[in-house]
Amino acid sequence: MTTSRPTDIGHVRAGVATKEATARHEQYRNEEDADRLALAMRVAAEAVRTVGSHNIEIVTFTRGRICLQPTDLRDGERIARALGCDMPLDHRMFTPGHTLWTGVVDGLEVQVRSALRQVVTR
């Protein structure tokens, strides 16, 4: 019994791609990743322009999300709402506690850190 193995001949046999096809796929994937990273950079830059660079201390981004930390955490909620981030998550077990506001901008998750909200309970 023989099994199919990849070869250098340049064709696909039994569902095994050639080196050329694999290289084309890797190039496409790398270009797609670079495009997603470029999109994250553009969205981050636009977010900083929208709220003013003097209001932002740290910008962190990946291919799928952006996180902004304001210079003054007390401005975080205002900045988050200006960017359309309206879903808060309170982190009370951290010291100091903080609230992370999230939303979606141009298909990317955007997070804005802020001072811990004083939630009123009834």
Side-chain angles (χ1 to χ4, degrees):
M1 177 172 157
T2 61
T3 58
S4 298
R5 302 186 68 145
T7 66
D8 296 333
I9 297 173
H11 65 277
V12 176
R13 177 182 50 183
V16 178
T18 64
K19 285 184 179 180
E20 293 85 12
T22 302
R24 280 194 305 275
H25 179 267
E26 281 297 314
Q27 178 183 359
Y28 173 76
R29 193 177 67 138
N30 290 340
E31 288 173 1
E32 183 179 308
D33 282 349
D35 288 346
R36 291 181 62 202
L37 191 56
L39 172 64
M41 291 170 60
R42 285 192 302 273
V43 171
E46 181 61 31
V48 170
R49 273 193 295 277
T50 298
V51 301
S53 62
H54 61 283
N55 289 314
I56 302 298
E57 183 71 27
I58 300 171
V59 177
T60 307
F61 58 88
T62 66
R63 288 170 173 82
R65 98 185 20 92
I66 297 163
C67 186
L68 302 173
Q69 180 167 318
T71 305
D72 185 341
L73 290 180
R74 293 173 296 183
D75 293 332
E77 183 176 354
R78 178 186 55 79
I79 290 169
R81 291 190 184 280
L83 297 173
C85 300
D86 57 2
M87 296 183 298
L89 178 60
D90 298 324
H91 294 279
R92 297 183 180 282
M93 295 189 66
F94 291 104
T95 304
H98 66 276
T99 298
L100 191 64
W101 293 85
T102 61
V104 176
V105 176
D106 290 338
L108 298 173
E109 178 182 351
V110 176
Q111 305 171 344
V112 180
R113 191 171 178 195
S114 75
L116 185 61
R117 298 181 309 150
Q118 297 303 317
V119 180
V120 176
T121 59
R122 295 177 192 207

